[in-house]
Amino acid sequence: MRQSNLDQNGLVIWLEGLSGAGKSTIATGLEEKLNANGFFTFVMDGDLIRSNINKDLTFTEADRSENIRRVLEISKMLVQKKIVVICSFITPLQRQRNRNRIELGEKYFEVFVDCPVAICESRDVKGLYQKARNNEIGNFTGINADFESPTSPDLVLNSATQSPGQCIDRLYDFIFPRVV
């Protein structure tokens, strides 16, 4: 296998939490900060992956698990090339997170973006929570599909009490020693 010339450690930073918690905002901000400091990154966001690579999947529990499995496999390949992969996915089940940790080991950094449903719902520009409450969307995490609180994340960011900038800075400070 050809080695990467990057002078950094490959790592998967997996942001999980409810829709509207701020995962994508934090992922994008972290990518910008890492890039500004000379690190090579790749962001995988749930909406983007679902509208392209995984557009064949629905929101059943089986398809959600397959969605996470595929992202995990892509992440493993990128980490081998010393790329810092920032994943932004709801990842509602603990067994999905456990699989990520087993497959990636020390290259996996789990971040729970904690935010109450009511606040996530107030931030919902797409109207998804209202559609779920009106039964127009089934299997919507936090309304009619479960989200299991993570049992052992490496970091918890409370996006209800911290600004996106504060969350990004805190995350950067935690992962920087793992990347250099």
Side-chain angles (χ1 to χ4, degrees), residues 7 108 111 134 141 149:
D7 188 24
Y108 180 68
V111 181
N134 293 340
T141 307
S149 290

Side-chain angles (χ1 to χ4, degrees), residues 16-19 23 50 59-62 64-65 68 89-97 112 115 117 129 132 137-150:
E16 63 208 19
L18 295 172
S19 178
K23 298 178 304 297
R50 278 214 175 255
F59 289 92
T60 64
E61 187 175 322
R64 286 172 182 248
S65 288
I68 297 303
F89 293 86
I90 293 171
T91 323
L93 303 178
Q94 186 60 44
R95 69 175 171 269
Q96 296 163 337
R97 298 178 211 123
F112 177 34
C115 190
V117 173
Y129 279 93
I137 298 176
N139 296 317
F140 190 79
T141 307
I143 301 299
N144 46 27
D146 289 336
F147 181 87
E148 298 171 357
S149 290

Side-chain angles (χ1 to χ4, degrees), residues 80-98:
Q80 288 177 349
K81 295 298 183 183
K82 297 186 176 182
I83 296 170
V84 176
V85 183
I86 306 165
C87 295
S88 174
F89 293 86
I90 293 171
T91 323
L93 303 178
Q94 186 60 44
R95 69 175 171 269
Q96 296 163 337
R97 298 178 211 123
N98 291 344

Side-chain angles (χ1 to χ4, degrees), residues 15-162:
L15 293 109
E16 63 208 19
L18 295 172
S19 178
K23 298 178 304 297
S24 296
T25 300
I26 294 167
T28 302
L30 179 63
E31 178 185 39
E32 290 171 4
K33 191 164 185 168
L34 286 166
N35 290 167
N37 287 288
F39 296 105
F40 188 77
T41 62
F42 186 80
V43 172
M44 284 196 278
D45 181 77
D47 289 342
L48 182 62
I49 295 295
R50 278 214 175 255
S51 65
N52 292 293
I53 294 170
N54 291 343
K55 64 183 171 186
D56 62 320
L57 299 177
T58 66
F59 289 92
T60 64
E61 187 175 322
D63 278 2
R64 286 172 182 248
S65 288
E66 177 61 13
N67 182 53
I68 297 303
R69 188 197 68 76
R70 290 178 188 180
V71 171
L72 173 63
E73 292 301 321
I74 294 167
S75 297
K76 286 170 28 181
M77 289 184 275
L78 294 170
V79 163
Q80 288 177 349
K81 295 298 183 183
K82 297 186 176 182
I83 296 170
V84 176
V85 183
I86 306 165
C87 295
S88 174
F89 293 86
I90 293 171
T91 323
L93 303 178
Q94 186 60 44
R95 69 175 171 269
Q96 296 163 337
R97 298 178 211 123
N98 291 344
R99 180 180 57 208
N100 289 354
R101 190 170 299 281
I102 289 166
E103 294 278 333
L104 290 163
E106 65 184 22
K107 299 292 185 181
Y108 180 68
F109 191 82
E110 182 180 326
V111 181
F112 177 34
V113 182
D114 191 8
C115 190
V117 173
I119 292 175
C120 291
E121 195 166 357
S122 74
R123 296 175 177 171
D124 182 20
V125 295
K126 298 177 192 172
L128 298 175
Y129 279 93
Q130 189 59 50
K131 288 180 181 178
R133 290 196 184 282
N134 293 340
N135 294 316
E136 296 170 41
I137 298 176
N139 296 317
F140 190 79
T141 307
I143 301 299
N144 46 27
D146 289 336
F147 181 87
E148 298 171 357
S149 290
T151 58
S152 57
D154 296 297
L155 181 65
V156 176
L157 299 174
N158 188 324
S159 67
T161 60
Q162 297 173 315

